[in-house]
């Protein structure tokens, strides 16, 4: 399937009554979690950012006006950037995690009834496996994000790397969740091996949107619709090819 076509169709579907209701529910859950996170973690994030910048050679204890203006200006930019680097992956990660665990199942049922009818369920994967996989991917994402923060001081990296890591998590988690209710483990392995740049296009566009408020609020449902549509179609094609091979 053409990835742009997938995204366009999924965007329209996002605003259908059932999906709009799902979007509003996921927004409510996300906002509650994010408010709790920032309430408890923001001050700690500032303290950690100051410690990190001190270790990088910036004296964050110097009062404003007691050093060169350009140095003060630079530190005023680096401090919020570092806090962002620490807390934003949790915001994005929880949105993707929510999309995989809570949003994807009703999205798959919606797609089954409207767009990808006739694909039978042959899943061997239970809910515990799905949750464990989501936690594993989310943990990897957080670790790689935190390790990469020092690289953000290289011009351009602070934009490219977070988008790439978010796209990686979206693509990995959404593929598994989109197929887990219908495909066998063997089918998931085959589709994963055959994956090409098309799913990266979907992942990068959804990742970019996740950094644009307030558009990021619809990304969980939009990404679930996009990957669900793409991978269920890929599963249907795989099963058709297997039938042809047998004949």
């Amino acid at each position: 399937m053409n990835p742009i076509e997938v995204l366009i169709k999924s965007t329209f579907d996002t605003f259908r009554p059932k999906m709009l209701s799902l979007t509003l529910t996921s927004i409510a859950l996300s906002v509650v979690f994010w408010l709790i996170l920032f309430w408890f973690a923001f001050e700690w994030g500032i303290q950690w950012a100051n410690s990190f910048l001190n270790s990088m050679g910036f004296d964050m204890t110097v009062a404003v006006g007691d050093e060169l203006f350009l140095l003060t200006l630079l530190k005023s930019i680096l401090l919020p950037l570092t806090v962002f680097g620490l807390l934003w992956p949790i915001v994005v990660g929880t949105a993707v995690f929510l999309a995989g665990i809570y949003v994807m199942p009703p999205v798959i049922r919606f797609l089954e009834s409207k767009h990808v009818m006739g694909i039978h369920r042959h899943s061997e994967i239970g809910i515990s496996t799905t949750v464990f996989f989501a936690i594993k991917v989310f943990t990897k994402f957080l670790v790689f994000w935190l390790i990469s923060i020092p690289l953000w001081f290289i011009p351009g990296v602070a934009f490219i790397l977070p988008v790439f890591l978010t796209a990686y998590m979206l693509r990995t988690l959404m593929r598994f969740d989109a197929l887990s209710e219908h495909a066998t483990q063997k089918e998931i392995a085959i589709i994963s091996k055959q994956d090409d740049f098309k799913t990266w296009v979907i992942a990068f566009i959804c990742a970019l949107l996740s950094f644009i408020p307030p558009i990021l609020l619809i990304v969980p449902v939009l990404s679930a619709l996009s990957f669900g549509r793409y991978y269920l179609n890929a599963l249907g094609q795989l099963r058709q090819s297997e039938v042809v091979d047998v004949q």
Side-chain angles (χ1 to χ4, degrees):
M1 295 183 74
N2 184 296
I4 303 302
E5 179 185 354
V6 168
L7 285 163
I8 291 173
K9 289 181 178 179
S10 298
T11 301
F12 282 111
D13 284 341
T14 300
F15 296 97
R16 295 183 186 274
K18 285 185 178 180
M19 294 297 99
L20 190 57
S21 174
L22 186 62
T23 299
L24 294 174
T25 305
S26 67
I27 288 172
L29 291 173
S30 298
V31 168
V32 169
F33 176 82
W34 296 338
L35 287 175
I36 294 172
L37 170 68
F38 280 98
W39 177 266
F40 288 102
F42 187 71
E43 185 176 348
W44 172 80
I46 292 177
Q47 293 174 354
W48 184 91
N50 277 315
S51 299
F52 175 77
L53 291 172
N54 276 322
S55 69
M56 296 292 291
F58 296 95
D59 189 353
M60 304 302 290
T61 61
V62 178
V64 175
D66 292 344
E67 59 186 355
L68 293 174
F69 171 75
L70 289 178
L71 185 57
T72 301
L73 179 62
L74 177 61
K75 290 196 293 188
S76 69
I77 295 172
L78 292 178
L79 180 61
L81 180 64
T82 306
V83 174
F84 169 84
L86 178 66
L87 298 181
W88 191 252
I90 302 176
V91 172
V92 174
T94 52
V96 177
F97 186 87
L98 180 68
I101 299 300
Y102 174 76
V103 175
M104 186 63 85
V107 163
I108 293 298
R109 290 194 293 272
F110 170 80
L111 291 172
E112 277 183 313
S113 64
K114 297 288 184 182
H115 303 293
V116 288
M117 295 176 286
I119 297 180
H120 299 292
R121 294 175 178 244
H122 298 305
S123 177
E124 306 165 337
I125 300 168
I127 184 64
S128 59
T129 303
T130 302
V131 172
F132 176 76
F133 183 82
I135 292 172
K136 183 174 72 172
V137 173
F138 182 47
T139 303
K140 283 183 179 180
F141 168 75
L142 287 178
V143 170
F144 284 129
W145 186 294
L146 293 174
I147 290 174
S148 72
I149 287 178
L151 300 176
W152 289 28
F153 297 101
I154 302 173
V157 174
F159 172 76
I160 296 172
L161 203 53
V163 174
F164 172 77
L165 290 174
T166 304
Y168 162 78
M169 182 172 66
L170 272 169
R171 183 173 180 264
T172 306
L173 186 58
M174 290 297 178
R175 176 176 58 214
F176 186 86
D177 289 333
L179 295 170
S180 62
E181 292 189 15
H182 290 78
T184 63
Q185 291 185 353
K186 180 181 178 181
E187 287 172 330
I188 293 176
I190 293 172
I191 292 173
S192 300
K193 189 175 181 180
Q194 294 175 346
D195 243 351
D196 57 17
F197 75 96
K198 293 178 183 178
T199 51
W200 277 112
V201 172
I202 297 173
F204 270 111
I205 291 176
C206 289
L208 281 169
L209 293 176
S210 72
F211 287 88
I212 306 174
I215 298 176
L216 66 90
L217 296 173
I218 69 168
V219 169
V221 174
L222 174 61
S223 59
L225 282 165
S226 299
F227 284 102
R229 176 177 273 107
Y230 183 91
Y231 281 117
L232 287 180
N233 182 267
L235 178 60
Q237 290 180 346
L238 175 63
R239 289 179 179 174
Q240 286 178 358
S241 67
E242 289 176 343
V243 170
V244 171
D245 289 341
V246 170
Q247 292 176 344

